[in-house]
Amino acid sequence: MRVFSYEKATDPAAAAARAAEIEGARFIAGGTNLIDLMKLEIERPGHLIDVTGLGLDEITETGDGGLRIGALVSNTALAADSRVRRDYGVLTRAIVAGASGQLRNKATTGGNLLQRTRCPYFYDTAQACNKRAPGSGCAALSKGAFSRQLGIVGISDSCIATHPSDMAVAMRILDAEVETVKPSGATRRIPIADFHLLPGDTPHRETALEPGELITAVTLPAPVGGRHAYHKARDRASYAFALVSVALIRQPDGSGRVALGGVAPKPWRSAEADAELPNGARAVMAKLLEGARPTDANAFKITLAERTLAALLADSPVAEE
């Protein structure tokens, strides 16, 4: 780990202004991903701005019946909140499926959205990686590369890495919005669908955040009802990232929503696929994974996603007429 300077922020807008002012500065809260990346010298911030004192650690009810989740609410507190467990069950299930209890105690809502890919070539600094070193190439696309965990849809010729967050998949199916403050002090709300970027030719640009912009909260709209489910298929029973994860909200009439994790550079969902839910898992996946470009090593994810959704649908029957 390289030498860095440190300061503790006391105001969100001032923290954003400082981050924009100092080249190479990074925000730090739980540090569950950033510290690992610093140890490996994948991240080399010259200055850390500690945001844990900003008071963004409450969950409050909004005027339209939703919830506003402070960016510093821990994953443990969010999953355990009685309102989340009652009205946004898919979110609790997704968070509990991720990481370990110790990590969830430290990980924050804002940080979870910003965690970086677990692509093995991103973590191996001896390998080419356009996300870590723009323009260096993508070792994951080379012949014989280990791509079992990597993406099949939304990818590009520059990058096939996936986004690792379980929480973000649930946020996507719930139509959350990300609240931020810019260095100017201006605030904005970014729909979660637009927050994470597809790689294209610039895979190092992973979110819609501008330089210095700080996440302050995530807002959930009013509950949509229905039965909530989340299943994560992985190589180990716990403490492993998803090969495929499926979030489902199913209404009594058979309509609903579906989002996938582990298959794309961002939580993956489409309105066209949601509309196919009454027609079953195969119809949903035909739309949701349309245009998929799997490798020989991860083509199984297409079948795995379909069968995982089918299993969830079997456990969430529609109302009998």
Side-chain angles (χ1 to χ4, degrees):
M1 185 182 292
R2 300 195 176 195
V3 173
F4 57 88
S5 53
Y6 168 93
E7 68 178 294
K8 190 160 186 173
T10 56
D11 176 79
R18 284 288 286 164
E21 176 184 334
I22 303 172
E23 186 175 356
R26 295 283 191 279
F27 299 119
I28 187 166
T32 56
N33 189 206
L34 179 60
I35 296 298
D36 284 344
L37 295 172
M38 289 172 65
K39 290 176 180 175
L40 295 169
E41 297 198 353
I42 295 168
E43 290 270 9
R44 301 175 182 178
H47 187 72
L48 291 182
I49 301 173
D50 184 341
V51 296
T52 57
L54 297 183
L56 306 173
D57 54 359
E58 294 186 355
I59 303 173
T60 55
E61 297 175 11
T62 62
D64 61 359
L67 289 179
R68 184 176 186 273
I69 304 159
L72 296 172
V73 172
S74 73
N75 284 181
T76 295
L78 180 56
D81 186 275
S82 60
R83 296 160 295 186
V84 174
R85 295 178 65 184
R86 182 188 65 214
D87 296 329
Y88 306 96
V90 66
L91 180 54
T92 288
R93 291 178 173 89
I95 292 173
V96 172
S100 64
Q102 294 92 333
L103 285 170
R104 292 195 294 270
N105 288 341
K106 294 296 292 182
T108 63
T109 299
N112 192 312
L113 293 176
L114 296 175
Q115 63 179 305
R116 307 196 69 185
T117 182
R118 263 61 178 183
C119 173
Y121 301 99
F122 173 76
Y123 274 79
D124 185 348
T125 55
Q127 300 284 345
C129 174
N130 288 318
K131 185 180 287 294
R132 172 172 34 78
S136 63
C138 177
L141 287 169
S142 61
K143 187 176 181 180
F146 182 76
S147 56
R148 175 178 170 78
Q149 285 278 353
L150 302 180
I152 61 174
V153 67
I155 57 178
S156 74
D157 291 337
S158 296
C159 183
I160 62 171
T162 55
H163 185 69
S165 171
D166 293 292
M167 186 197 78
V169 179
M171 295 287 193
R172 178 68 184 87
I173 202 174
L174 292 168
D175 287 332
E177 290 188 325
V178 182
E179 295 184 21
T180 70
V181 60
K182 296 183 178 183
S184 65
T187 60
R188 68 168 172 158
R189 297 174 69 156
I190 308 169
I192 190 76
D194 300 329
F195 183 76
H196 296 103
L197 304 179
L198 295 181
D201 295 329
T202 55
H204 56 289
R205 293 187 64 246
E206 297 175 333
T207 72
L209 293 176
E210 298 173 3
E213 192 169 8
L214 173 68
I215 297 175
T216 53
V218 176
T219 303
L220 302 179
V224 296
R227 300 187 64 164
H228 292 213
Y230 186 84
H231 185 78
K232 180 176 180 179
R234 46 189 159 181
D235 282 330
R236 293 193 305 269
S238 67
Y239 201 54
F241 293 95
L243 292 169
V244 166
S245 66
V246 180
L248 170 68
I249 297 177
R250 196 180 199 193
Q251 303 297 340
D253 64 0
S255 65
R257 309 173 178 187
V258 177
L260 297 181
V263 299
K266 61 191 293 183
W268 201 247
R269 180 185 168 205
S270 76
E272 293 79 8
D274 285 352
E276 292 290 341
L277 194 54
N279 299 318
R282 179 163 297 180
V284 171
M285 290 305 161
K287 282 293 183 184
L288 197 50
L289 298 179
E290 197 171 32
R293 296 166 51 195
T295 67
D296 291 343
N298 65 18
F300 72 92
K301 289 190 173 189
I302 295 175
T303 302
L304 183 60
E306 181 183 322
R307 292 181 178 177
T308 302
L309 177 59
L312 291 181
L313 293 176
D315 286 339
S316 304
V318 298
E320 295 183 4
E321 295 183 357

